[in-house]
Amino acid sequence: MQHINHFINGEFVSAVDGKSFEKRSPVDRRLIAQVSEGGKVDVDRAVHAARAALNGEWGAFTMEQRVEILYGVADEITRRFDDFVEAEMADTGQPKSIMTHAFIPRGAANFKIFADVIKNVPNESFQTTTPDGLGALNYAIRVPKGVVGVVSPWNAPFLLMTWKVGPALACGNTVVVKPSEETPLTTTLLGEVMNKVGVPKGVFNVVHGFGPDSAGEYLTHHPKVDAITFTGETTTGAAIMKAASEGMRDVSFELGGKNAGIVFADSDFDKAVDGIYKSSFLNSGQVCLGTERVYVERPIFDKFVEALKKKVEKVRHGRPDDENCNFGPMISHEHQAKVLSYYAKAVEEGATVVTGGGVPSIPEELKEGAWVEPTIWTGLAEDATVMKEEIFGPCCHIAPFDDEQQVINWANDTEYGLSTTVWTRDLSRAHRVAAKINVGITWINSWFLRDLRTAFGGSKQSGIGREGGVHSLEFYTETRNVCVKL
């Protein structure tokens, strides 16, 4: 069994008060690690180390030096690729194929893409007319925001943590990361990478723990943290926003979603089925961008439901390193219980269960794992509980629609606004529908296709701010204007 410590000021250290908690596998509930739990003193040490680095060696780095060292971080992650894959599988229980083809490569890419952004982004300047005719020159400079608190989620832990740490460091900030208590391994492993490539002590810090009355609360309330970035559920985001109001500190949030998928009758049928299957069931449905509400134009509705049912019923549960496994467990037994409670609620409110709806038949050695069946429903009204509340599990409801405006209204009838996916061969309609859906990102005939230079974020209760490319710089830097009288 491993013991996972905090990473503070370039060193792995246990909690000052000796507190720790268990990390158990979601696959079979075996004990994976004992993890140090951060208290106020641990968080304070991490924040002060970050502040010292900002005012010391790291603060003296040129932009070119930061770019070079971030490329080194990405290369070292790639060199230790198998270690990160193993750690992420142990944390999440998700299949190896997802880790090797998506989540870990993206983690490394997040450092390179933002290194490239920071060295290529221009700053604005203006020639200003003055009464004396001699003029003035106004130009902008960007400076680091300071010490950034990073509170990262459990569903794609390495990818989503580096999505924040990469731009933060590229812009010259220092960070204190509080990873989810469910997924401590890859964030801790990144500390080894930072030391290996020569990132100065205190630039990257990790404090493990929970939210309330633990590391998360202490970090977000710490007065020496200049900004807070968070990915997770909306209720937690609201609590962090209240904490950030102390000192009027900046926040960047990517929060919940109740995303719609829209399939028109003229779509490429097979591609649409495959796309909705991925958007609803990838990572066992534990994706903030996932599709839990599917609307299919009536002429192909029955055919679509049957095709998706057949595809879902071919999933293979198992250990993440099993080549035959393509479907993992929920992240924890607590989350398993939450998802199963929604399964029961759907039936209670009159849903027709097309497939799934419970716990799968699983080998005896995996029965202690947090497994649920991928599930499809039909027959619910738009105001049903599972049509309004984010479940964050492998499930979707499919409803027929008859006209374009009707489905746009249904797609927008939610307090969230993160993403949608639209399937049609009519590109005029695709553009028209995309412009009317109140979300941060709309995919046409695709899903999860990302260009990391583009703006990413949610509307309504799905978030605050935008990340990606130059958009990340708006959060991770302060823009100052310099006016020179000529």
Side-chain angles (χ1 to χ4, degrees), residues 161-317:
M161 178 269 297
T162 56
W163 178 241
K164 299 174 182 300
V165 172
L169 299 192
C171 293
N173 302 282
T174 56
V175 298
V176 179
V177 182
K178 205 297 284 183
S180 169
E181 64 274 14
E182 303 290 355
T183 51
L185 299 181
T186 46
T187 303
T188 304
L189 190 58
L190 187 58
E192 297 181 13
V193 169
M194 296 289 178
N195 280 350
K196 175 71 174 180
V197 303
V199 174
K201 291 183 177 182
V203 172
F204 175 79
N205 305 275
V206 180
V207 182
H208 298 289
F210 300 89
D213 299 317
S214 189
E217 180 177 325
Y218 305 144
L219 177 62
T220 56
H221 280 271
H222 199 290
K224 297 298 184 181
V225 171
D226 299 298
I228 303 164
T229 177
F230 167 71
T231 295
E233 64 178 1
T234 301
T235 52
T236 304
I240 293 174
M241 195 168 183
K242 289 180 181 178
S245 67
E246 302 167 8
M248 302 298 290
R249 295 168 296 156
D250 281 351
V251 295
S252 175
F253 291 159
E254 193 262 282
L255 305 174
K258 192 67 181 177
N259 310 305
I262 301 172
V263 182
F264 286 95
D266 71 338
S267 65
D268 183 314
F269 184 84
D270 292 338
K271 288 183 179 179
V273 171
D274 187 59
I276 295 297
Y277 169 77
K278 290 176 181 175
S279 67
S280 296
F281 301 105
L282 180 74
N283 206 35
S284 300
Q286 299 166 122
V287 180
C288 57
L289 299 163
T291 304
E292 292 186 356
R293 298 180 297 143
V294 181
Y295 300 103
V296 179
E297 200 164 10
R298 196 175 298 275
I300 63 167
F301 174 76
D302 291 336
K303 179 183 177 183
F304 188 93
V305 171
E306 183 61 26
L308 189 62
K309 173 179 180 288
K310 288 181 178 178
K311 201 168 185 69
V312 165
E313 290 177 347
K314 292 179 181 178
V315 304
R316 299 180 300 277
H317 303 84

Side-chain angles (χ1 to χ4, degrees), residues 93-153:
Q94 293 302 312
K96 187 174 184 177
S97 59
I98 300 176
M99 303 305 156
T100 57
H101 291 104
F103 292 173
I104 303 304
R106 258 291 303 276
N110 285 337
F111 288 99
K112 287 190 174 181
I113 188 70
F114 288 108
D116 290 339
V117 167
I118 199 67
K119 72 180 181 181
N120 290 306
V121 66
N123 284 325
E124 65 182 14
S125 63
F126 299 95
Q127 292 179 312
T128 306
T129 301
T130 59
D132 62 8
L134 297 178
L137 175 66
N138 282 273
Y139 65 91
I141 59 173
R142 291 184 182 274
V143 298
K145 188 68 63 81
V147 176
V148 179
V150 177
V151 183
S152 54

Side-chain angles (χ1 to χ4, degrees), residues 371-387:
W371 302 96
V372 302
E373 289 181 310
T375 297
I376 299 172
W377 303 293
T378 59
L380 286 173
E382 284 298 302
D383 61 355
T385 302
V386 300
M387 298 295 285

